[in-house]
């Protein structure tokens, strides 16, 4: 399995990371190196094995569906690069 | 003896006996930071005025007879833990302007117990690295030097490189770190320190900038096993704000250090013995086993058959989780922003300029292994191999109480080495990654020096929530090793 330049661009678009044309080839080499190395997992017999999502062999606990916090708009917005009133501001997205 | 040379346990006693004040102790460390940090770059932010205010409060508590476990003890905090009102960067440009309006649970626990925060320690960007070379704010110099080559600048390991360098150079009495694939234990080994990665769920992840949530473990650095036990006791405990935090009792870790190993069964996993292992690391490992045998433990050969697949499994799961966790850095809600032609362009430019090369690489790998058509082949398969790795540990812990292995395949290396391709750097974590995948506790304890005079650590791995045994075994190694070598660069040297 080897990634082509179009796939590199597609992954970068999915990840919302701008990739310049002159970066595609070096990224392709690096990512193919890593993916080629990872393919060693194909030799492991995983038939009938349940996937493990986390290190803690414990069930997540339920909690009451109640509001425990809130009313902190100013704190939440305190690090916003741009705000308008109590809102995060972004470039216009709807014409 | 200088105040900065004291252990936490000694300083605790000295403060209570009024031999010196918390302000004296804090000033001694702030002075050492002023002298050495411009060279070492261990701290990204020094919280001078907050530290002094905390020290004055500690002296008031001591005078009132209200001292707690860490009252007046100055610490370094890895710059991955959110600290209210103190900039928290994760070693990344994208968080350069970020000042958290909240405090992480682990640092809140340390503050509750009276600890003083000297500042925020340098790290690999988003904790992704094994040398501290990926920090957006420059590398950290390891305070240790090769005997024959004192000019070579060595790495402190990573990702918690600033924490390790600060404690080794006496710029803090202890520090917090995080360990996702070895990021506490490998720098502890490289800097001659004790580093503990506790059981997954022991220390809350709430308020710790997330890298790979199922693998991230907060834990302590200190210069002795006992000091690391004191810190771990304060950092631990159930936290309703972290859904994976374990609601289990926290034992007296400090008391556990004195338990000894008489009658314990210590496993030696044969898969950790690779053909390419340096002879001096193999010899140190054998010596460690000898020390434990002399102290009354029984040494047992065991097998962890899926060990060799640990790194490849890790390099699917960790980037996958990272690609999801780092989606939040969008240039809109917090952190850095680069303007674009439209919202999408703003996202893409912000993330391209805000993330360094290693972080971009891992986010791209993670995005790929989770993408439609590849999820089963990569991510799901890796989760199944992860289940086999956990089963290896579960099986082996029916036969033995703890495992002893080397911590890292080498001593500290030079800045710029192992940078030719990403996989060479990844191999640093070959002995540490499996316990992150399985969530079992593990510690690195300094056991000796290599031929260049650089520290080497041994790793003790234990059963889930049995840090007490890990600390007991580590203490026996510490006593037998009598490790008293000092780094060339340190306060007062």
């Amino acid at each position: 399995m080897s990634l082509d330049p179009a796939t590199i661009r597609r992954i970068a678009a999915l990840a919302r990371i701008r990739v310049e044309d002159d970066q595609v080839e070096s990224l392709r080499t690096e990512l193919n190196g890593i993916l080629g190395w990872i393919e060693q997992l194909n030799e492991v017999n995983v038939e009938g094995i349940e996937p493990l999502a986390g290190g803690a062999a414990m069930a997540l606990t339920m909690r009451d569906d109640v509001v425990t916090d809130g009313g902190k708009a100013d704190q939440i917005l305190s690090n916003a690069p741009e705000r308008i009133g109590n809102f995060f501001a972004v470039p216009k997205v709807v014409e | 003896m200088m105040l900065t040379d004291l252990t936490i346990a000694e300083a605790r006693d000295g403060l209570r006996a009024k031999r010196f004040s918390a302000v004296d102790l804090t000033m001694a460390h702030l002075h050492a930071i002023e002298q050495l940090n411009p060279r070492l770059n261990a701290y990204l932010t020094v919280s001078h005025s907050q530290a002094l205010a905390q020290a004055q409060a500690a002296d008031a508590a001591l005078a009132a007879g209200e001292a707690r476990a860490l009252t007046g003890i100055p610490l370094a905090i890895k710059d991955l833990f959110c600290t209210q009102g103190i900039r928290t960067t994760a070693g990344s440009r994208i968080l350069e302007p970020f000042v958290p309006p909240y405090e992480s649970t682990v640092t809140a626990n340390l503050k509750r117990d009276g600890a003083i925060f000297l500042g925020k320690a340098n790290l690999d960007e988003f904790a992704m690295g094994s040398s501290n070379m990926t920090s957006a704010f420059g590398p950290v110099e390891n305070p240790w030097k090769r005997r024959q080559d004192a000019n070579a600048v060595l790495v402190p390991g990573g990702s918690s490189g600033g924490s390790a360098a600060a404690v080794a150079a006496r710029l803090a009495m202890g520090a917090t770190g995080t360990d996702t694939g070895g990021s506490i234990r490998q720098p502890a080994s490289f800097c001659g320190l004790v580093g503990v990665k506790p059981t997954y769920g022991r220390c809350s992840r709430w308020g710790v900038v997330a890298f790979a949530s199922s693998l991230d473990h907060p834990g302590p650095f200190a210069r002795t096993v006992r000091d690391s036990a004191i810190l771990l006791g304060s950092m631990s405990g159930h936290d309703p704000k972290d859904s994976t935090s374990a609601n289990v009792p926290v034992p007296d870790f400090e008391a556990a250090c004195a338990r000894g190993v008489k009658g314990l069964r210590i496993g030696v996993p044969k898969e950790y013995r690779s053909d390419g292992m340096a002879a001096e690391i193999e010899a140190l490992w054998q010596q460690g086993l000898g020390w434990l045998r002399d102290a009354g433990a029984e040494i047992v050969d065991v097998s962890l058959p899926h060990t060799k697949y640990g790194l490849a499994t890790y390099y699917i799961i960790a980037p996958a989780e990272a690609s999801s966790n780092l989606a939040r850095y969008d240039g809109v809600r917090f952190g850095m922003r680069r303007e674009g032609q439209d919202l999408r362009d703003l996202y893409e430019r912000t993330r391209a300029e805000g993330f360094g090369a290693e972080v971009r690489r891992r986010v791209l790998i993670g995005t790929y292994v989770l993408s439609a058509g590849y999820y089963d082949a990569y991510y799901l398969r890796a989760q199944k191999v992860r289940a086999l790795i956990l089963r290896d540990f579960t099986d082996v812990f029916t036969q033995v109480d703890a495992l002893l292995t080397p911590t890292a395949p080498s001593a500290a290396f030079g800045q710029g080495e192992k940078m030719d391709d990403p996989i060479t750097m990844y191999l640093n974590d070959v002995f540490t990654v499996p316990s992150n995948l399985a969530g079992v506790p593990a510690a690195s304890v300094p056991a000796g020096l290599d031929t260049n005079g650089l520290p080497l650590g041994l790793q003790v791995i234990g059963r889930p929530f049995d840090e007490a045994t890990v600390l007991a075994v580590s203490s026996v190694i510490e006593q037998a090793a009598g490790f008293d070598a000092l780094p060339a660069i340190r306060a007062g040297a």
Side-chain angles (χ1 to χ4, degrees):
Chain A
M1 182 68 233
S2 183
L3 305 184
D4 57 22
T7 308
I8 296 289
R9 288 197 176 85
R10 186 176 65 84
I11 301 167
L14 282 172
R16 300 290 188 273
I17 294 176
R18 184 182 169 90
V19 169
E20 307 294 342
D21 289 341
D22 61 2
Q23 295 173 322
V24 172
E25 195 47 40
S26 62
L27 267 177
R28 201 172 79 85
T29 308
E30 288 169 5
L31 298 193
N32 278 326
I34 294 168
L35 290 170
W37 174 66
I38 281 170
E39 301 227 324
Q40 59 178 289
L41 293 189
N42 290 336
E43 66 194 59
V44 185
N45 180 4
V46 293
E47 212 174 300
I49 303 297
E50 285 295 310
L52 176 68
M58 58 176 132
L60 295 180
T61 52
M62 304 293 279
R63 59 173 166 78
D64 293 336
D65 185 14
V66 293
V67 176
T68 58
D69 207 352
K72 294 178 175 168
D74 269 333
Q75 285 184 47
I76 289 165
L77 285 156
S78 66
N79 281 284
E82 192 185 348
R83 63 183 283 189
I84 300 172
N86 262 3
F87 298 94
F88 296 107
V90 296
K92 193 171 178 181
V93 283
V94 182
E95 288 304 322
Chain B
M1 185 182 241
M2 296 183 53
L3 290 179
T4 45
D5 283 323
L6 297 173
T7 66
I8 291 172
E10 288 164 350
R12 183 181 60 184
D13 296 345
L15 286 165
R16 289 177 194 204
K18 311 283 194 294
R19 284 197 291 274
F20 46 84
S21 69
V23 169
D24 293 339
L25 192 58
T26 301
M27 286 300 292
H29 283 90
L30 289 170
H31 180 70
I33 292 168
E34 207 174 291
Q35 298 288 310
L36 293 178
N37 198 54
R39 173 173 182 173
L40 297 177
N41 201 27
Y43 285 92
L44 296 175
T45 303
V46 180
S47 44
H48 196 277
S49 55
Q50 290 100 328
L52 276 180
Q54 286 176 311
Q56 284 157 0
D59 281 329
L62 285 156
E66 292 165 359
R68 300 183 59 98
L70 291 165
T71 297
I73 302 298
L75 303 176
I77 303 298
K78 185 178 187 179
D79 206 17
L80 204 63
F81 290 82
C82 287
T83 41
Q84 190 172 1
I86 299 174
R87 188 176 75 126
T88 299
T89 68
S92 182
R93 286 279 167 228
I94 213 159
L95 278 178
E96 191 169 7
F98 180 60
V99 179
Y102 53 86
E103 187 80 24
S104 83
T105 298
V106 161
T107 50
N109 290 349
L110 291 166
K111 275 187 174 174
R112 171 203 66 203
D113 287 339
I116 291 162
F117 296 169
L118 296 164
K120 305 298 295 288
N122 203 343
L123 69 160
D124 279 300
E125 185 178 5
F126 284 105
M128 298 179 192
S130 305
S131 63
N132 216 110
M133 295 296 287
T134 73
S135 169
F137 307 107
V140 173
E141 180 174 354
N142 189 326
W144 289 81
K145 294 286 162 196
R146 290 185 185 129
R147 260 187 217 118
Q148 308 299 337
D149 186 11
N151 292 324
V153 178
L154 306 179
V155 303
S159 67
S160 314
S163 298
V167 178
R170 277 65 180 156
L171 308 186
M173 306 199 92
T176 65
T178 60
D179 190 316
T180 304
S183 285
I184 290 175
R185 290 159 288 159
Q186 184 251 21
S189 182
F190 280 19
C191 292
L193 301 173
V194 179
V196 183
K197 179 202 85 70
T199 312
Y200 188 79
R202 180 67 92 183
C203 292
S204 170
R205 292 180 296 103
W206 194 82
V208 181
V209 176
F211 160 15
S213 302
S214 80
L215 298 160
D216 293 345
H217 299 65
F221 284 94
R223 293 195 289 266
T224 69
V225 177
R226 186 176 174 193
D227 284 4
S228 72
I230 294 169
L231 292 174
L232 182 61
S234 176
M235 293 165 71
S236 297
H238 179 237
D239 177 14
K241 289 188 284 195
D242 172 0
S243 63
T244 60
S245 170
N247 195 356
V248 296
V250 178
D252 185 340
F253 292 129
E254 190 180 358
C257 295
R259 265 188 208 172
V261 295
K262 204 168 168 50
L264 289 187
R265 291 166 65 85
I266 306 293
V268 189
K270 66 177 183 199
E271 290 80 7
Y272 282 60
R273 182 168 288 121
S274 64
D275 292 338
M277 182 180 278
E280 54 191 350
I281 289 179
E282 168 71 31
L284 188 73
W285 190 9
Q286 291 306 321
Q287 188 166 41
L289 293 168
W291 289 330
L292 294 175
R293 197 182 291 115
D294 291 346
E298 182 188 349
I299 308 301
V300 183
D301 286 323
V302 296
S303 174
L304 295 164
H306 296 89
T307 297
K308 68 180 277 203
Y309 302 110
L311 275 178
T313 304
Y314 178 86
Y315 276 98
I316 293 174
I317 291 173
E321 293 186 18
S323 73
S324 172
N325 274 326
L326 272 58
R328 72 191 69 177
Y329 303 104
D330 57 4
V332 172
R333 290 164 301 162
F334 51 86
M336 183 195 106
R337 167 184 284 194
R338 286 288 174 272
E339 301 299 338
Q341 294 159 4
D342 53 25
L343 184 57
R344 182 170 180 137
D345 194 38
L346 179 153
Y347 292 150
E348 294 191 345
R349 286 179 188 275
T350 296
R351 290 164 63 80
E353 289 183 40
F355 294 148
E358 181 63 22
V359 173
R360 290 200 302 271
R361 196 149 51 219
R362 293 204 199 182
V363 169
L364 293 173
I365 287 277
T367 303
Y368 179 66
V369 300
L370 292 176
S371 65
Y374 300 98
Y375 181 93
D376 286 4
Y378 289 107
Y379 187 64
L380 195 65
R381 173 167 280 269
Q383 285 190 311
K384 290 178 179 176
V385 180
R386 183 176 188 179
L388 291 170
I389 289 169
L390 174 61
R391 195 167 78 185
D392 285 356
F393 280 104
T394 307
D395 288 348
V396 102
F397 283 128
T398 63
Q399 306 159 49
V400 297
D401 300 295
L403 302 164
L404 187 75
T405 79
T407 303
S410 74
F413 48 88
Q415 285 185 358
E417 289 174 28
K418 308 201 184 207
M419 308 272 286
D420 299 341
D421 79 287
I423 296 169
T424 309
M425 189 64 82
Y426 297 170
L427 295 175
N428 264 288
D429 295 332
V430 61
F431 301 140
T432 46
V433 145
S435 41
N436 293 80
L437 291 165
V440 295
S444 179
V445 58
L449 298 175
D450 76 352
T451 47
N452 292 312
L454 296 176
L456 293 171
L458 288 174
Q459 176 178 231
V460 182
I461 308 173
R463 293 191 180 102
F465 297 105
D466 192 15
E467 291 87 354
T469 296
V470 171
L471 293 164
V473 175
S474 299
S475 292
V476 167
I477 291 171
E478 178 180 55
Q479 284 158 25
F483 186 90
D484 58 1
L486 292 168
I489 304 171
R490 61 181 196 281

